């Protein structure tokens, strides 16, 4: 016989847990006439112990302790006239019992508020009273009385009384009328009017720039949501390790009766050097070196220099991000670089310049608009299908491409890296003018929608779907630069196929770029324990040569994956196979990255 320590330990743990479960007994039995829910609450309040009592003395001690716990629970649930008795039965095997007669449940009267001078204005006082949310005739539960007080104070704070606090409340329990009458005693403090922003430690950030982000003007009522918005605007920049935004103490009120907001910023390291490497069976290997400088101009800016050497896409360039540029929530992005692309479909060496404004809408959505300029040499091989027979056409073109960039991203999901419910929509429209050895005007549009549906409580199983559609209007297959045509295949589109290989192939097996695109994906994601997730998926895609998508040449891929959950998001590993493998297609593809596929 072979000894297997893993199985032995598992069996031992199972037996241990079973023994513990078997030895857990209620501290005392609950007897009496009451509804099932109250009985369950009493049993939970009494609790469990290990093993039965060994003597009548031990049983009596348990019954008395259980009686105290039961009485406390009954009073908190508004049973103020219960009759309880601790009972011990049995000689050789004594048992502890609590006999409970809960009596009549006490009901609330209309709550009142007594204000400590000065009282708030009439509207705020009315809002606070309404926020208590207790109705006369409802059960006089202690937790409801206490939470009503918290809601009243929170409402006052939102109405501008930032120093509001609750004094000891007075609750009268009338045993003759069976009522509970709560009287709240609240000190609202004075109405707080806001001043500007004070930074005790300025660090590398310009205080005037921070003051310009405040969503209030001097003399406005204090609003905690506006203070939270200033904190969010500072956090959105991504250049601070810590952001603290809070109302100044009362003793810092100025001569006009206004109080400032104190902002403390903890700067990230001024310079950060990062290196990384990537690899996939579809796109080969790549090495990245990134140097980042934070807050160079004192306005939470980010300067990023990047060098990338890769089989498909190599580049060297710089990006400058200026958040909240002339308007809160708007970011100016400037970029410049030299790009060398070596794909199966084309080769490109170009200088790329771009200027773009990104405007945040809501917490996670935004829209962009700007302009880009690409100038460089394109080496392309196409086939002219208008001739009979089709003939190869070689392009070595020097082109300058001006692109209007407009896009929007609407995120209604619950998590940026691991969504379990909601939806997202991305749309872009790019009017493009090409000049140089060819002159052409065209419009490139693309949209993608994803949706996430939890199939179980706690989202342990999630159904995720993706749909992507693209079209080029006004250009021809032979005139549109190759990097602007549509391609499909790879980790972000149809898994199981290598980069660009969903496209129909030219006679020399070069991927044929298209004027339209259709892609869709369906995933089932299932949690396994706390840290892992298993995924099964099917992807499909087609590239067409007219302005409207053509679904007659659809390609399908399917596979399995695993996710390892980390605090910042899951690490993804997928293996996929093409379901209609053609000559030249690989038997499978492997993808490793951070975050879900979509």
């Amino acid at each position: 016989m072979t000894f297997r320590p893993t199985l032995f330990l598992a069996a031992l743990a199972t037996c241990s847990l079973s023994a513990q479960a078997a030895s857990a007994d209620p501290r005392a039995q609950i007897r009496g006439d009451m509804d099932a829910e109250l009985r369950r609450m009493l049993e939970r309040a009494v609790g469990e112990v290990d093993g039965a009592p060994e003597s009548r003395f031990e049983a009596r001690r348990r019954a008395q302790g259980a009686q105290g716990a039961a009485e406390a629970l009954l009073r908190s649930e508004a049973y103020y006239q219960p009759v309880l008795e601790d009972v011990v039965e049995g000689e050789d095997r004594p048992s502890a019992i609590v006999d409970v007669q809960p009596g009549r449940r006490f009901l609330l009267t209309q709550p009142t508020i007594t204000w400590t001078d000065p009282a708030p204005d009439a509207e705020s006082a009315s809002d606070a009273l309404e926020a208590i949310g207790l109705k006369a005739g409802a059960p006089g539960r202690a937790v409801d009385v206490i939470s009503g007080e918290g809601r009243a104070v929170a409402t006052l704070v939102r109405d501008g009384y930032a120093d509001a606090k609750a004094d000891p409340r007075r609750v009268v329990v009338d045993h003759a009328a069976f009522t509970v009458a709560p009287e709240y005693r609240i000190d609202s403090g004075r109405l707080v009017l806001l001043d500007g922003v004070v930074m005790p430690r300025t660090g590398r950030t310009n205080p005037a720039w921070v003051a310009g982000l405040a969503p209030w003007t001097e003399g406005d009522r204090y609003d905690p949501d506006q203070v939270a918005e200033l904190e969010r605007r500072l956090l959105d920049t991504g250049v601070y390790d810590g952001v603290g935004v809070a109302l100044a103490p009362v003793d810092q009120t100025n001569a006009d009766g206004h109080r400032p907001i104190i902002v403390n910023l903890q700067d990230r390291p001024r310079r950060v050097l990062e290196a990384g490497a990537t690899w996939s069976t579809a796109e080969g290997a790549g090495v990245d070196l990134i140097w980042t400088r934070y807050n160079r101009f004192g306005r939470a800016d980010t300067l990023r220099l990047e060098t990338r050497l890769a089989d498909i896409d190599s580049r060297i360039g710089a990006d400058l991000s200026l958040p909240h540029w002339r308007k809160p929530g708007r970011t100016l992005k400037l970029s410049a670089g030299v790009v060398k692309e070596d794909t199966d479909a084309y080769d490109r060496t170009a200088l790329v310049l771009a200027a773009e404004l990104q405007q945040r809408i809501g917490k996670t959505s935004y829209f962009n608009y700007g302009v880009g300029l690409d100038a460089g040499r394109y080496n392309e091989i196409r086939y002219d299908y208008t001739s009979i027979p089709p003939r190869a056409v070689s392009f070595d073109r020097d082109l300058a491409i001006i692109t209007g960039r407009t896009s929007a991203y609407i995120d209604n999901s619950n998590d940026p890296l691991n969504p379990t419910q909601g939806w997202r929509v991305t749309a872009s429209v790019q009017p493009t003018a090409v000049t140089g050895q060819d002159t052409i005007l065209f419009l490139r549009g693309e949209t993608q929608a994803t949706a996430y549906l939890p199939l179980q409580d706690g989202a342990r199983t999630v159904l995720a779907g993706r749909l992507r559609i693209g079209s080029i209007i006004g250009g021809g297959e032979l005139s549109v630069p190759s990097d602007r045509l549509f391609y499909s295949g790879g980790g972000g589109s149809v898994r199981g196929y290598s980069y660009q290989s969903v496209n129909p192939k030219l006679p020399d097996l070069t991927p044929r770029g298209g004027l339209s695109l259709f892609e869709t994906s369906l995933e089932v994601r299932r949690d396994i324990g706390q840290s892992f997730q298993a995924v099964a998926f099917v992807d499909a895609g087609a590239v067409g040569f007219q302005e409207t998508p053509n679904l007659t040449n659809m390609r399908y891929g399917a596979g399995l994956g695993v996710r390892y959950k980390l605090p910042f998001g899951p690490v993804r590993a997928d293996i996929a196979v093409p379901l209609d493998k053609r000559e030249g297609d690989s038997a499978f593809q492997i993808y490793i990255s951070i975050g879900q596929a979509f």
Side-chain angles (χ1 to χ4, degrees), residues 113-333:
I113 297 179
T114 298
W115 299 103
T116 302
D117 288 336
D121 62 82
E123 183 177 355
S124 297
S126 176
D127 290 344
L129 185 60
E130 183 178 354
I132 292 173
L134 301 182
K135 303 297 183 183
R141 301 172 66 241
V143 65
D144 293 338
V145 173
I146 295 171
S147 60
E149 181 180 77
R151 289 191 292 269
V153 172
T155 298
L156 285 169
V157 172
R158 285 194 296 270
D159 281 352
Y161 294 89
D163 304 311
K165 62 181 181 179
D167 291 332
R169 74 189 78 86
R170 181 172 181 263
V171 180
V172 177
V173 179
D174 189 332
H175 285 261
F178 299 98
T179 59
V180 177
E183 177 192 353
Y184 299 104
R185 300 176 177 182
I186 299 177
D187 181 359
S188 67
R190 294 186 178 277
L191 179 64
V192 175
L193 302 180
L194 290 176
D195 195 18
V197 171
V198 172
M199 297 179 63
R201 298 186 303 273
T202 58
R204 300 194 299 267
T205 303
N206 185 345
W209 178 78
V210 175
L213 297 182
W216 65 84
T217 57
E218 185 177 348
D220 284 353
R221 276 192 176 206
Y222 170 81
D223 184 341
D225 290 339
Q226 289 186 336
V227 175
E229 175 64 18
L230 175 58
E231 183 176 43
R232 183 163 48 246
R233 290 175 181 179
L234 291 167
L235 286 170
D236 283 347
T237 65
V239 307
Y240 301 111
D241 279 339
V243 175
V245 180
L247 181 66
V250 177
D251 59 11
Q252 294 189 25
T253 303
N254 64 21
D256 295 328
H258 301 168
R259 285 164 64 181
I261 296 295
I262 296 177
V263 174
N264 286 297
L265 302 175
Q266 182 180 351
D267 291 308
R268 294 183 65 174
R270 187 185 296 267
R271 300 176 182 85
V272 175
L273 183 63
E274 302 170 273
T278 59
W279 175 85
S280 75
T281 56
E283 300 177 24
V287 178
D288 295 271
L289 186 65
I290 301 170
W291 181 88
T292 305
R293 171 76 181 268
Y294 294 111
N295 225 349
R296 171 65 179 82
F297 304 109
R299 40 138 30 257
D301 50 276
T302 300
L303 176 63
R304 186 170 177 265
L305 306 180
E306 176 185 11
T307 299
R308 175 174 172 80
L309 299 176
D311 292 341
I312 289 178
D313 180 6
S314 299
R315 63 183 60 217
I316 182 171
D319 300 287
L320 177 62
S321 175
L322 301 175
H324 307 299
W325 190 74
R326 297 193 175 186
K327 180 181 179 181
R330 183 170 64 186
T331 300
L332 174 63
K333 298 182 177 182

